[in-house]
Amino acid sequence: MAERRPRHYSVHREILDEGAVDELAEKTDSKMPLSQKVKNSLRCSGPRVKNCFLSSVPVFSWLPRYSLRDNYLGDLISGLSVGIMQLSQAMACALLAAVPPVFGLYSSFSPVLIYFIFGTSKHISVGTFAVTCVMMGGVVERIAPDSSFMIWDNTTNSSIVDILARDDERVRVAAAVTCLSGLIQLVLGLIHFGFVVTYLSEPLVRGYTTGAAIHAIVSQLKYTFGINPVRHSGAFSLLYTVLEVCYLIPQTNVGTLVTSIVTIVGLILTKELNAYLSKKLPIPIPVDLLAIVIATVISWQVNLEEKYGVDVVGPIPSGLQPPVVPKLSLFGQVIGDAFAQAVVGYGVVISLGRIFALKYGYKVDSNQELIALGLSNTVGGFFQCFAISCSLSRSMVQESTGGKTQVAGALSAMIILIITLWIGALFEDLPKAVLAAIIYVNLHGMMKQFMDIPALWKSNKVDMLVWVVTFVLTCLFNPDLGLAASIAFSMLTVIFRTQLPTYSILGQVPDTDVYRPQEEYNQVRQVPGILIFRSSATLYFANAEMYQEALGEKSGIDITKQLSAKKKLEDKRKRLEKKNAKKAKKEAKKNVDMEGTEHRDVAVIEVFAEPDPSLPTAIILDLSPVNFLDTVGVKTLRGIRKDYGQIGIEVVLAGCQTGVVDNLQTGGFFNETVTRSCLFSSVHDAVLFCQSSKTHDYDKEKSFKKNKDVVHDKQSLMEQIIFLGEIGRDRSDTLLSPEMNGGQYSDGAPDPDLSWSCHTNTVVKKARQRLYFLRRLRVFKLPLSVLKNFYTCTIESILSESITKWMGSATMQVQLALRRVVRSAERTIRTSRRTVCLPVSVCCLQGDATVC
């Protein structure tokens, strides 16, 4: 392997936070008002009307440009091949739908012509489909079972099924389901709900179609063995049917079984020969048509029905059925089944349509496909058809024989029309066992889908689990209930994936701005003092709590324990402050006659606590995988920033998408103290910011430690407070003016002639005047910034005056007076019910600078 040649590059720019990026890129408000959207949608023009019409009726956009020279031969051969193939499949699928075989021919004519006008796929073959026919058969036999049409036969003195009445009712039920499913598809297409198919993942569809194929095979066992098992419906009906068939196997009709076996063997051998000669033959051998013709001739010559009791198709009426309004009273009973039919049928159509469109370079409109399929089923319901979809086997034949446009589908419908009008009656002696054999052989492609299991096991075990669970649920329940349960399970896997994401601590690839998980790379190193945390999933209510727990676990910081320890330290400091105040008050009474005497033996209070070196100074939350935030997610981030900020760890966000920033804005993440300056465009920007901030804090801490050592060695308690207050000031040279200093020099030199007691009274008097004015400001409800600035000015003025006039000669009386001033000012601010961050100098006066 060749050694990678290093390439040096350098990017010079400032550290960019979200606010800087918005200003630099001049962010605009891209959201269009609702009124403008409505206005634009209602705007009408000639080109827009034309485009709308051509997109709604696509046949007028492609048919005028149809090239006879390039397309007619391929479409003609393809149409003939598919039409002949559709004859056998339509009659066989009618048995699956529990209606007479001739209605399969009806379903292969008028719906196909409607799709020819409104469809956008050039290569799929719409019509009967085994899976939707199995679903239809379950609905039909549930609503119109044989037990509801039993009549007494005087000849045999037994109850028999009134077949004519039963079939008429079943056709009405099938037409009602078809019409309702078409209306559902039409409505979904008009409201642009074509994305509903995205909830049907490929493993789910393949597992579902395999399970439906098992239902189709089991439903045809009675025609293979020549028995009449009781039809079961509902959950576990497949198991009950298999047990019933096993119980009735001793009653098998030998003639029917032999017919089935011979047909199956002949079809398999002929199809293998067809596949072997596929490159040499211009069109494939019409195996199914040959089987139907040969079986019909043999049955007619041998008279299989009378001699051997073989069940045949029976009378096939010539001509088309007149349109009939579907039975509206059935809509309430079949609405759930109709919705399942609509979703499954559309899912198969759009899946195959996109495969061929990607192969041949054209576009399939998902919403227009819904409308086309909805119109086909709605119109088909009036002509007593059952719900259609598209067949994989016919679509492959249509594509492989040279079909290039929807004209091939229209030609196949014409073949079916000719058969229905003049040739259909010739197939009355066709054994039903032959149709069952055709179904078995045509479903062998779906049986090959079992090979998906080992392939998915190697590639994605969750998808493999979806496939298996979908197959099992479809087999155990009816196809409609199985579909609903499978979609629910698929959604659960999505929820589990987002609830159980991968949490990582990122490190830096040396000498780059690239950051990768430390546990997955050997040469990745953590940035000193900075923790970079990332989740592989979005942040919302279902995993917000786990996000916080994972952050604590990965960082090794027990935030609850840290906050508890900090609270205990604050309580201890307050108790010590009260104790020292009482002690100071007692000493003041004892020393009331000892003015001017210095007291150096006063206990020293440790103002600043040493930071824990094991804790990071900053945490960067990489939100690049997050595509949205709900209110719980925003509160989680706000809580993390607040909690870790209380223990001295700065929390910043990196890699936020624009939508996530908007969610933070609307969720109340930003306020007066938290701005967009804590959001960074990249992790590297955030790292550089935290490093620069860390260096600045280190220099301040180093300077403070040096000054603190001087305080411990040379000054008393009050001198420490004054000196630390001076360090916390923004400008150490800002003292009171000579007028406010009582005639003192601006450089702070004290007047030796000034009486100490007079100075004490002056300081307290000025402080009380300022506090009175501060209360008046609060009454007028001025902004928080005004109160805060005035408060800071008041206290720091007192400090400046104190430093100027009595450095090194403070008495306990002045200390207590200043403490009363500070506490009174605090109460004034607190009663305004606003949060104020005290200046360092004020905290120092109370011995609580660590909090600041």
Side-chain angles (χ1 to χ4, degrees), residues 142-176:
R142 186 187 75 237
I143 297 179
D146 290 341
S147 58
S148 300
F149 301 94
M150 302 298 294
I151 58 175
W152 183 261
D153 186 5
N154 294 324
T155 305
T156 60
N157 291 326
S158 62
S159 298
I160 60 174
V161 178
D162 188 352
I163 297 178
L164 294 178
R166 181 200 65 183
D167 289 346
D168 289 342
E169 182 63 22
R170 287 183 174 181
V171 168
R172 283 192 287 269
V173 173

Side-chain angles (χ1 to χ4, degrees), residues 217-435:
I217 292 173
V218 171
S219 67
Q220 297 303 298
L221 291 178
K222 61 180 180 180
Y223 300 113
T224 301
F225 293 99
I227 56 179
N228 293 308
V230 177
R231 176 65 183 236
H232 300 278
S233 61
F236 308 106
S237 60
L238 183 70
L239 299 179
Y240 296 143
T241 302
V242 171
L243 294 176
E244 183 76 14
V245 169
C246 293
Y247 177 75
L248 295 176
I249 281 182
Q251 303 177 16
T252 300
N253 185 298
V254 178
T256 303
L257 182 60
V258 170
T259 303
S260 299
I261 294 175
V262 171
T263 305
I264 291 174
V265 173
L267 286 172
I268 293 176
L269 294 177
T270 311
K271 283 183 178 291
E272 291 297 326
L273 179 63
N274 204 7
Y276 179 75
L277 300 175
S278 59
K279 296 182 180 180
K280 299 180 181 180
L281 297 175
I283 60 173
I285 301 173
V287 179
D288 297 339
L289 179 61
L290 290 177
I292 289 176
V293 172
I294 294 172
T296 303
V297 172
I298 293 175
S299 176
W300 171 55
Q301 291 294 328
V302 180
N303 199 2
L304 293 178
E305 182 180 12
E306 294 183 3
K307 289 185 177 181
Y308 302 100
V310 176
D311 194 11
V312 297
V313 170
I316 297 179
S318 299
L320 298 174
Q321 294 290 324
V324 178
V325 177
K327 196 174 181 179
L328 301 180
S329 60
L330 294 173
F331 280 11
Q333 304 179 47
V334 300
I335 185 169
D337 305 284
F339 185 80
Q341 287 270 3
V343 172
V344 174
Y346 171 68
V348 176
V349 167
I350 195 63
S351 299
L352 287 178
R354 286 177 175 174
I355 291 174
F356 289 115
L358 183 62
K359 182 177 180 180
Y360 289 96
Y362 63 91
K363 184 180 179 181
V364 172
D365 188 344
S366 58
N367 292 308
Q368 183 61 29
E369 287 296 295
L370 261 177
I371 294 175
L373 202 60
L375 288 173
S376 298
N377 283 327
T378 302
V379 174
F382 283 88
F383 287 94
Q384 299 181 347
C385 304
F386 51 82
I388 66 165
S389 183
C390 75
S391 169
L392 176 60
S393 59
R394 291 199 311 271
S395 299
M396 293 300 296
V397 169
Q398 180 170 324
E399 185 259 348
S400 62
T401 53
K404 296 181 179 180
T405 65
Q406 293 94 318
V407 172
L411 291 176
S412 67
M414 293 298 105
I415 298 298
I416 296 298
L417 176 62
I418 294 172
I419 294 173
T420 304
L421 294 178
W422 296 289
I423 308 177
L426 300 178
F427 297 102
E428 293 180 354
D429 291 324
L430 175 65
K432 291 183 179 179
V434 174
L435 296 177

Side-chain angles (χ1 to χ4, degrees), residues 80-207:
L80 292 174
S81 303
V82 173
I84 293 171
M85 187 177 182
Q86 190 145 249
L87 168 64
S88 58
Q89 291 192 359
M91 298 178 70
C93 287
L95 296 182
L96 294 177
V99 295
V102 69
F103 288 93
L105 299 178
Y106 300 155
S107 301
S108 301
F109 172 64
S110 55
V112 176
L113 290 180
I114 298 297
Y115 184 84
F116 164 77
I117 299 173
F118 296 97
T120 59
S121 178
K122 300 178 182 180
H123 293 88
I124 65 173
S125 174
V126 297
T128 57
F129 180 51
V131 174
T132 55
C133 290
V134 169
M135 298 172 65
M136 182 66 71
V139 182
V140 166
E141 294 192 353
R142 186 187 75 237
I143 297 179
D146 290 341
S147 58
S148 300
F149 301 94
M150 302 298 294
I151 58 175
W152 183 261
D153 186 5
N154 294 324
T155 305
T156 60
N157 291 326
S158 62
S159 298
I160 60 174
V161 178
D162 188 352
I163 297 178
L164 294 178
R166 181 200 65 183
D167 289 346
D168 289 342
E169 182 63 22
R170 287 183 174 181
V171 168
R172 283 192 287 269
V173 173
V177 175
T178 301
C179 184
L180 184 57
S181 66
L183 291 175
I184 292 173
Q185 290 170 335
L186 189 59
V187 171
L188 293 179
L190 291 175
I191 64 175
H192 288 200
F193 210 69
F195 68 89
V196 70
V197 75
T198 58
Y199 292 100
L200 302 176
S201 64
E202 183 179 358
L204 187 147
V205 171
R206 293 177 71 86

